[in-house]
């Protein structure tokens, strides 16, 4: 194996690792945005603060938490 073949082999290994790293990071970002960021436990484990657009945060600020829950309560049908 000459120098040029060794260089091509090293470049292909580095390029493959870079592609795998990009795909893993992109997958993690998508899973975070679509699913994991909604769980308080995961945010606390990563040391992130609660976002201001979550419904529980908005209810606590407005003080309407109890009244909105009673309005949205499911009615039980008794036949």
């Amino acid at each position: 194996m000459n120098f040029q073949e060794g260089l091509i082999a090293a470049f292909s290994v580095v390029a493959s690792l870079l592609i795998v790293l990009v795909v893993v990071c992109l997958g993690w970002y998508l899973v975070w945005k679509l699913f994991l960021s909604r769980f308080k436990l995961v945010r606390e484990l990563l040391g992130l603060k609660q976002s201001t657009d979550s419904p529980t945060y908005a209810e606590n600020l407005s003080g309407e938490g109890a009244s909105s829950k009673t309005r949205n309560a499911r009615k039980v049908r008794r036949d």
Side-chain angles (χ1 to χ4, degrees), residues 2-28:
N2 60 17
F3 178 73
Q4 187 178 7
E5 289 176 354
L7 191 61
I8 291 172
F11 177 74
S12 65
V13 169
V14 170
S16 300
L17 289 175
L18 185 64
I19 290 170
V20 168
L21 184 65
V22 167
V23 168
V24 167
C25 289
L26 181 64
W28 173 257

Side-chain angles (χ1 to χ4, degrees), residues 29-44:
Y29 177 76
L30 288 175
V31 169
W32 171 257
K33 280 294 187 184
L34 297 174
F35 185 70
L36 289 177
S37 64
R38 297 180 182 167
F39 292 101
K40 185 178 178 181
L41 175 66
V42 177
R43 287 192 313 260
E44 287 181 6

